[in-house]
Amino acid sequence: MKARQFCVFGNPIKQSRSPWIHQQFANQLGINLEYQASLAPINGFEQTLKTFIANGGAGANVTAPFKEEAWRLSDHLSDIARDSGAVNTLSVNGDRLLGDNTDGYGLITDLYRHGATLKNANVLLLGAGGAARGVIPALIKEQLASLTIANRTASKAHDLKQHFSDFSIQSCGFDELTDTGYDLIINATSAGLAAQKPDVPATIINPNTFCYDMVYQAMPTGFMQWCQACGALQCTDGLGMLVGQAAKSFSIWFGQMPEIEPVIQQLRELLQTGK
Ligand code: NDP
């Protein structure tokens, strides 16, 4: 039987591990799948997606900067995708395009996997781009004590707060961060690679703060190193989130949930050996 065709669209996309991850899931479950990475032009996502579907594409992941556009192009949205305003998983169903967002699932399962507590936690989310937007509905469901969105460009944090106006969320710029009582800080900015970190004050971290960086790389990220130096309780990167969100997408397409843990281990080893 011909393999069903899937794809991840982004710009840039060369760095994507999604084709490898989905191939591991397919191997685990004995599923025949073809999964490519596709560089869509910044102003040409819609056309690239239409061509993929016309050529028999069955589903796709969407990464930066196209998640909001994928949301607009979806004919039907899952509750979580509708609330977030961003789509990272598309399924083709006849002539309808179904949009979902699995980033929140990936984040929450990875936080629990690392022993973080979410109930009654004071949470600081750094960043107001597609990744931050995508995880907010899932975070809100976790009965947090508070959620603050802080962004380099404060107006974007305020816009995001406005989007989720049914919920009690605070928003501010980095320079307005004065609270010291955060139990969990999530870096959803793209400042995390190499020695970079978002320009936030060290006072946001206390000895009970759990820090999570959505960015991942072979070595601890710049943000993780900084959190550690500021005395955080624990710091972890976003590799588990990446595999978790992919597993949830896979389950949407194939109705079967693959095992996450062995794929996280293998991917960590690949990164550490420079592959
Ligand atoms: P976007 O481009 O939509 O948003 C980027 C965000 O980062 C904005 O809030 C921007 O702030 C901020 N930012 C960029 N550079 C800096 C800087 N130097 N200092 C402070 N803030 C900065 O990207 P996404 O939201 O889609 O992705 C954010 C990160 O999360 C990426 O690194 C991505 O790889 C990662 N990610 C990881 C996932 C995983 O599974 N592990 C899943 C999804 C994303 P401003 O508004 O001021 O420009």
Side-chain angles (χ1 to χ4, degrees), residues 2-275:
K2 193 170 180 289
R4 289 173 70 199
Q5 286 174 53
F6 295 84
C7 193
V8 57
F9 294 105
N11 189 329
I13 199 62
K14 215 171 73 191
Q15 81 293 353
S16 178
R17 298 279 176 174
S18 293
W20 183 87
I21 294 171
H22 282 277
Q23 196 54 61
Q24 306 314 303
F25 294 157
N27 294 350
Q28 260 183 36
L29 294 166
I31 285 171
N32 195 10
L33 146 153
E34 197 180 297
Y35 190 115
Q36 311 276 340
S38 171
L39 178 76
I42 292 293
N43 294 315
F45 170 63
E46 181 173 1
Q47 192 48 53
T48 310
L49 178 64
K50 279 186 175 158
T51 305
F52 170 71
I53 294 170
N55 289 333
N61 284 126
V62 182
T63 188
F66 302 123
K67 289 182 186 179
E68 283 96 342
E69 196 174 347
W71 185 86
R72 284 192 294 276
L73 293 172
S74 297
D75 299 304
H76 176 82
L77 293 162
S78 69
D79 290 351
I80 209 138
R82 187 198 58 228
D83 291 350
S84 70
V87 157
N88 80 335
T89 305
L90 290 166
S91 310
V92 178
N93 186 355
D95 58 358
R96 284 166 66 77
L97 198 53
L98 315 184
D100 212 323
N101 194 312
T102 65
D103 280 340
Y105 173 89
L107 173 69
I108 303 293
T109 49
D110 203 41
L111 284 168
Y112 283 130
R113 197 178 138 259
H114 286 285
T117 303
L118 291 169
K119 194 171 178 187
N120 297 326
N122 291 300
V123 178
L124 172 61
L125 180 62
L126 301 174
R133 179 181 278 278
V135 299
I136 290 172
L139 279 171
I140 288 168
K141 287 205 173 118
E142 294 298 316
Q143 298 175 269
L144 312 177
S146 71
L147 177 61
T148 303
I149 307 166
N151 195 44
R152 179 176 63 178
T153 310
S155 59
K156 288 194 196 160
H158 300 322
D159 289 349
L160 212 45
K161 173 193 157 98
Q162 206 51 43
H163 179 87
F164 294 99
S165 57
D166 288 353
F167 302 96
S168 166
I169 296 178
Q170 284 110 57
S171 59
C172 63
F174 288 162
D175 52 354
E176 296 165 287
L177 282 168
T178 50
D179 206 336
T180 55
Y182 295 110
D183 303 303
L184 171 63
I185 301 177
I186 300 164
N187 179 30
T189 75
S190 34
L193 291 166
Q196 269 196 335
K197 68 152 192 76
D199 191 13
V200 286
T203 46
I204 59 173
I205 292 176
N206 68 49
N208 295 315
T209 309
F210 187 113
C211 298
Y212 191 94
D213 194 350
M214 286 194 191
V215 174
Y216 62 88
Q217 57 185 30
M219 304 302 288
T221 64
F223 178 70
M224 288 168 69
Q225 291 177 37
W226 177 78
C227 294
Q228 203 84 62
C230 294
L233 177 69
Q234 196 175 329
C235 307
T236 188
D237 72 9
L239 191 135
M241 174 181 172
L242 176 78
V243 178
Q245 61 78 28
K248 185 71 180 169
S249 297
F250 192 94
S251 77
I252 290 169
W253 295 327
F254 294 102
Q256 294 182 74
M257 191 69 180
E259 269 192 70
I260 294 174
E261 200 63 47
V263 180
I264 294 175
Q265 307 293 346
Q266 284 175 61
L267 186 53
R268 181 73 69 196
E269 281 165 27
L270 278 183
L271 281 178
Q272 283 167 350
T273 52
K275 290 184 186 149

